[in-house]
Amino acid sequence: MNVNCSLWQENTFSVKRFAFAKFSEDPRECFLLFTLVLFMFLASLTGNALIALAICTSPALHTPMYFFLANLSLLEIGYTCSVIPKMLQSLMTEARGISRQGCTTQMFFFIFFGITECCLLAAMAFDRYMAICSPLHYATRMSRGVCAHLAMVSWGMGCIVGLGQTNFIFSLDFCGPCEIDHFFCDLPPLLTLACGDTSHNEAAVFVAAVLCIFSPFLLIISSYVRILIVVLVMPSPEGRHKALSTCSSHLLVVTLFYGSTSATYLRPKGSHSPGTDKLLALFYTVVTSTLNPIIYSLRNKEVKAALRRTLGLRKS
């Protein structure tokens, strides 16, 4: 369904307002997707908020691993809130429009939280590497100051890349059509609406993806290769099991997040399709944020105990 661009632009030279494409012309399908996404959104908010609260209120969890997990939980709340509320509105109403300023803001926060998560997952892998491969020096090398600096660098990288990419994209003119074939202001679908040559912008998106997605992923892989080498030479089966159990949750989260984001931003331009991109985006914005609290709580006795204490305090 084409949107009349005269409704969304103030002049013929540059689109001032965009509209998100409809998911389906069938109201029943839209309602079903709305219900599913709303359930996962609320589950994600509740789960991540509970984990962050449990870690903050449990002195036993004031360690580097749980410090990074609390940061990840807070990040996931911001990540989903930057995208999902507008998506839910578009599913149930005809208010699918978004101003250029609104689109700019949404894109910045989406990139900001996404890049921060890439860096934070790499910092968590480095923490596990230090804990398993250098246990005697772990307390000094992963002090509170070091952890705080790693977290600040992660958030800072997200802010810098978010500002740079958003400014670079919206320095372009958008001559129409004004309909974004997506459910939020993402980089690839917006570039298809831009006027003129966008090859420099596409190159910038690819370089940023390589530096901020692929490079942290290589650091994670390198950390876990070294961890695996150390674990394999451990004489005690209990020690091997304990070492691997502390890494399994993080590895699963990394696989879910990096698998979907890499498939979106590191694919050649010609292989992109709106349907596939929407499905992948739905996965890394909603599904992974919903699964992360479940993964970390189900596979971690300390987190489960802290959650029980937190919920018990609330009940009382």
Side-chain angles (χ1 to χ4, degrees):
M1 178 180 177
N2 293 324
V3 177
N4 184 358
C5 285
S6 62
L7 297 174
W8 307 101
Q9 63 185 36
E10 294 177 1
N11 55 61
T12 57
F13 299 103
S14 183
V15 171
K16 299 298 181 183
R17 192 167 178 83
F18 300 97
F20 297 116
K22 277 189 174 182
F23 278 86
S24 173
E25 295 294 334
D26 187 347
R28 291 173 298 181
E29 290 182 3
C30 289
F31 178 75
L32 180 63
L33 185 58
F34 171 85
T35 305
L36 181 62
V37 172
L38 178 62
F39 172 77
M40 288 192 292
F41 177 57
L42 294 176
S44 173
L45 290 182
T46 304
N48 283 297
L50 281 174
I51 284 184
L53 181 61
I55 291 172
C56 291
T57 57
S58 301
L61 299 185
H62 292 176
T63 63
M65 181 172 72
Y66 296 113
F67 168 76
F68 290 123
L69 180 55
N71 272 264
L72 183 65
S73 296
L74 293 174
L75 183 151
E76 293 287 9
I77 292 172
Y79 196 43
T80 53
C81 287
S82 68
V83 173
I84 303 307
K86 184 63 182 175
M87 176 189 176
L88 293 172
Q89 182 189 30
S90 300
L91 280 169
M92 291 306 293
T93 69
E94 289 299 318
R96 295 182 288 114
I98 186 170
S99 67
R100 186 178 177 122
Q101 293 78 10
C103 196
T104 304
T105 303
Q106 188 185 60
M107 178 179 285
F108 165 73
F109 280 109
F110 170 74
I111 297 173
F112 168 53
F113 289 120
I115 297 300
T116 302
E117 180 158 358
C118 291
C119 298
L120 200 59
L121 288 173
M124 294 172 78
F126 178 71
D127 170 67
R128 290 299 83 209
Y129 162 73
M130 292 301 301
I132 295 171
C133 300
S134 187
L136 297 179
H137 304 286
Y138 178 69
T140 54
R141 293 181 180 177
M142 292 302 293
S143 64
R144 288 188 178 185
V146 172
C147 293
H149 277 93
L150 287 173
M152 285 191 293
V153 168
S154 299
W155 290 95
M157 279 295 294
C159 185
I160 292 169
V161 175
L163 286 172
Q165 286 291 327
T166 304
N167 182 66
F168 202 26
I169 293 294
F170 284 94
S171 64
L172 298 169
D173 284 328
F174 297 92
C175 305
C178 60
E179 186 177 75
I180 302 172
D181 197 1
H182 214 319
F183 60 86
F184 68 96
C185 294
D186 199 7
L187 294 163
L190 266 175
L191 280 174
T192 63
L193 305 182
C195 312
D197 182 23
T198 60
S199 58
H200 293 298
N201 299 82
E202 291 165 9
V205 171
F206 183 77
V207 169
V210 169
L211 291 176
C212 301
I213 298 177
F214 190 63
S215 297
F217 182 67
L218 283 181
L219 178 61
I220 293 170
I221 294 299
S222 174
S223 297
Y224 277 109
V225 167
R226 295 186 178 188
I227 287 172
L228 184 61
I229 292 172
V230 170
V231 169
L232 288 177
V233 298
M234 285 182 176
S236 167
E238 292 79 9
R240 288 196 296 269
H241 175 74
K242 183 179 180 181
L244 291 174
S245 65
T246 61
C247 301
S248 57
S249 299
H250 181 251
L251 269 175
L252 185 53
V253 170
V254 166
T255 302
L256 292 172
F257 181 76
Y258 274 98
S260 53
T261 52
S262 299
T264 300
Y265 297 105
L266 294 176
R267 280 187 300 156
K269 182 183 176 183
S271 65
H272 282 268
S273 69
T276 304
D277 288 348
K278 287 179 187 177
L279 185 63
L280 288 169
L282 195 63
F283 191 84
Y284 62 73
T285 55
V286 184
V287 178
T288 56
S289 297
T290 306
L291 291 177
N292 285 359
I294 299 172
I295 293 169
Y296 280 110
S297 60
L298 286 180
R299 301 186 62 87
N300 191 304
K301 293 180 180 179
E302 292 174 317
V303 172
K304 283 193 288 186
L307 284 172
R308 280 195 296 267
R309 287 194 297 269
T310 302
L311 292 172
L313 287 172
R314 288 189 169 189
K315 289 176 182 177
S316 62

